[in-house]
Amino acid sequence: MAMRVSNVLLLLVLSALGLAPGARAASPASAPKITVLYDAFGDPGPLRKDWGFAALIEVDGKRILFDTGNDAEVFAHNVKTAGVDLSRLDSVVLSHRHSDHTAGLAAVLATNPDVVIHAPQEGFGLFGSSLPSSFYRKDAALPARQRYFDGNPPQTLVLGSAWPDAHFNPLAKTTEIAPGVWAIITTSDVPGTRELRELSLAVRTPQGLLLVVGCSHPGLPLIVAEAAKLDPHLHLVIGGFHYVNADDAAIANVIQALQPFKIDFIAPGHCTGEATFAALQAAYGQRYLYAGLGVTLILDKAEGPDRPRGKAAAFSPGERDAYRALARTGEHAHAEPIAAR
């Protein structure tokens, strides 16, 4: 049964499951849309689940890849199966340096070596950067052989990247990377990721902002607050919220912290966490959208199916077991609950 919400409906389609051609044609070509290409849960048909995140954003004729997942082979399989042509990307945004968001970049560069990659600027960072040689104290009394560069350093130290031939655009502040598209930068002050810089993507649409987050290490409320400076009306927030093993109090805190913001729909994925999925379903009801692997969300005024929404978007038992196994390993296995900030 179709329904209209806030004068606009997000038409949800599972593109990986052989969507009928007519279903896509019903939406205008200009309608912004986001397709989840990498995650550890979903009903993706031939797409392969793994811990990590990647999504394709298509808006105003632009194709922006947000993150690249945890494994280059899995990522390459998923984009090929989903019919995504990496050679047609206009740009790539890497949210942060963790491998479950960057490992698939090798597959991107193999197909599109000249694509511009927006990434957070960090001193001695994975994506390459530069520093003035004045960053360190000097002692002219030392003999030359005991001094950096024999006491005559270059004015600027150019630092290497894990992908030396890639075209990185390091960002140190929120930047409009295309008309109506911003890379929002925030910095974590959370134990375990303190000083980590993270990019989120904000896209202006007729319905409000589309906000795509990778892992939300700095805290989802902080990222939402930064996005609200661009437009206080957030139409959709989607991605990893990083409450994968948070306790009930921390989850309740983040839901409360989001209440003052105007958010039409919320579509958590990746490192959000099972308990947080359930709590957000209860809090947002029909404004909660399922965003598992293979799902495409189309920001469209046309009426469409009213699912998977709300509590109908729960895990299957198999998905729950797989997600829990993946969540217990790697960067997301935190010793302490992740509190809202």
Side-chain angles (χ1 to χ4, degrees):
M1 177 179 177
M3 63 183 297
R4 187 179 298 274
V5 182
S6 300
N7 300 320
V8 64
L9 187 68
L10 283 89
L11 175 62
L12 283 78
V13 292
L14 299 177
S15 58
L17 297 180
L19 177 69
R24 250 186 224 278
S27 300
S30 60
K33 63 182 179 180
I34 177 169
T35 301
V36 180
L37 297 172
Y38 209 106
D39 213 323
F41 72 101
D43 187 14
L47 274 68
R48 287 157 59 182
K49 298 175 189 175
D50 186 31
W51 189 266
F53 188 68
L56 178 68
I57 296 92
E58 298 172 81
V59 58
D60 293 335
K62 300 289 185 184
R63 296 162 58 87
I64 303 168
L65 178 65
F66 185 88
D67 284 343
T68 64
N70 180 63
D71 182 286
E73 183 180 349
V74 173
F75 174 77
H77 168 84
N78 285 355
V79 297
K80 181 179 180 180
T81 303
V84 174
D85 184 354
L86 296 177
S87 69
R88 294 179 55 209
L89 294 177
D90 292 282
S91 62
V92 177
V93 174
L94 294 180
S95 61
H96 63 294
R97 62 178 180 250
H98 288 164
S99 60
D100 56 335
H101 296 256
T102 60
L105 186 58
V108 177
L109 294 173
T111 302
N112 194 342
D114 297 323
V115 68
V116 174
I117 304 163
H118 306 285
Q121 182 177 355
E122 295 183 305
F124 301 98
L126 185 68
F127 310 115
S129 60
S130 61
L131 289 172
S133 59
S134 59
F135 85 93
Y136 68 89
R137 289 181 62 188
K138 299 171 178 61
D139 189 339
L142 290 173
R145 67 190 180 92
Q146 202 172 344
R147 301 190 65 194
Y148 302 126
F149 303 100
D150 297 322
N152 293 295
Q155 196 169 36
T156 301
L157 303 181
V158 178
L159 307 174
S161 163
W163 302 273
D165 297 325
H167 295 273
F168 284 107
N169 178 32
L171 300 177
K173 62 180 181 180
T174 295
T175 302
E176 189 171 14
I177 61 174
V181 180
W182 290 266
I184 297 173
I185 192 156
T186 51
T187 303
S188 175
D189 192 33
V190 178
T193 58
R194 186 165 283 129
E195 297 185 359
L196 181 146
R197 285 184 171 179
E198 184 165 337
L199 293 183
S200 304
L201 194 68
V203 180
R204 191 179 299 283
T205 79
Q207 296 80 35
L209 280 187
L210 163 64
L211 178 63
V212 188
V213 295
C215 249
S216 305
H217 288 287
L220 183 62
L222 173 62
I223 296 171
V224 168
E226 289 299 309
K229 294 177 182 178
L230 300 172
D231 187 336
H233 181 190
L234 279 69
H235 186 58
L236 171 64
V237 180
I238 181 172
F241 297 172
H242 212 255
Y243 283 77
V244 69
N245 63 347
D247 60 19
D248 290 345
I251 295 170
N253 285 343
V254 74
I255 292 174
Q256 184 177 12
L258 293 176
Q259 286 181 351
F261 298 99
K262 180 174 175 53
I263 300 173
D264 292 340
F265 297 95
I266 197 161
H270 181 41
C271 58
T272 300
E274 290 182 20
T276 314
F277 287 149
L280 288 168
Q281 286 176 4
Y284 282 82
Q286 293 299 301
R287 297 189 296 127
Y288 177 103
L289 302 180
Y290 180 79
L293 176 60
V295 164
T296 293
L297 307 180
I298 302 177
L299 281 66
D300 193 353
K301 293 182 180 179
E303 292 187 357
D306 62 353
R307 65 177 185 87
R309 291 176 178 271
K311 294 186 178 180
F315 277 123
S316 70
E319 288 174 336
R320 184 179 302 111
D321 291 344
Y323 185 91
R324 285 175 175 168
L326 289 163
R328 282 195 293 266
T329 63
E331 293 284 354
H332 300 278
H334 297 283
E336 300 294 334
I338 306 163
R341 303 191 64 83

